[in-house]
Amino acid sequence: MNNVIILGAPGSGKGTQGKILAGHLGIPQVSTGDLIRAAMKQGTPLGVKAKSFYDQGHLVPDEVIYGLIQEILDAPASREGVLMDGFPRTSPQAEAVDRLLKAKQAKVDRVILLEVDETELVKRLLARAAKEGRADDNATSVTQRLKVFQQQTAP
């Protein structure tokens, strides 16, 4: 089984590198950011709840994320493992991932951390905002998201 976590600040390339690695390993890439953005776009109850947090650059509450991760881990496509892209983001989330996997008689096999200079991160995120029109990539929320990453995820 290959349960891999790829971590890094917003804009560090988790999604890009995660796709490559997940394809190489033959496992699904689980990006909570992509799942949340899809739910927001579809206007699901989860999406509406998440939008108020996400647009301000705050983390979506853990209970919402745990439900998403549980659904992914229960999916047949995840039988051989998953690549978690940008999750867990906090110590309690990491502990929850361990519990969810242990219940399936599995564990985290590898963790990869992508480190990128903050000036480069801001440049990448603002360029992405211009290219993709993502509301969560404005100057205010980018600064807030990087601050949240340093305070909650980096440790």
Side-chain angles (χ1 to χ4, degrees), residues 30-139:
V30 177
S31 166
T32 54
D34 288 347
L35 293 173
I36 291 167
R37 281 187 291 277
M40 288 189 301
K41 185 176 181 178
Q42 296 166 4
T44 66
L46 167 64
V48 171
K49 186 175 181 180
K51 186 169 177 37
S52 64
F53 294 95
Y54 204 75
D55 285 349
Q56 295 175 42
H58 295 291
L59 295 177
V60 174
D62 287 351
E63 65 273 0
V64 174
I65 301 299
Y66 298 157
L68 289 171
I69 297 300
Q70 184 67 58
E71 288 178 4
I72 295 297
L73 293 175
D74 289 343
S78 300
R79 194 172 312 137
E80 297 300 316
V82 296
L83 183 138
M84 294 184 204
D85 169 353
F87 183 85
R89 294 179 189 246
T90 64
S91 293
Q93 288 178 356
E95 292 165 3
V97 166
D98 284 341
R99 283 192 305 275
L100 292 170
L101 288 172
K102 186 176 181 181
K104 300 188 137 318
Q105 299 177 337
K107 63 180 178 47
V108 174
D109 297 295
R110 291 171 183 80
V111 178
I112 300 166
L113 174 64
L114 302 178
E115 294 180 323
V116 178
D117 178 75
E118 189 168 327
T119 303
E120 179 64 21
L121 292 171
V122 171
K123 183 175 140 183
R124 288 180 184 185
L125 290 167
L126 294 177
R128 182 172 78 181
K131 182 179 178 184
E132 298 177 12
R134 284 178 49 173
D136 61 311
D137 282 345
N138 61 63

Side-chain angles (χ1 to χ4, degrees), residues 13-26:
K14 298 178 302 290
T16 301
Q17 298 305 317
K19 281 182 187 143
I20 294 167
L21 185 55
H24 176 73
L25 295 172

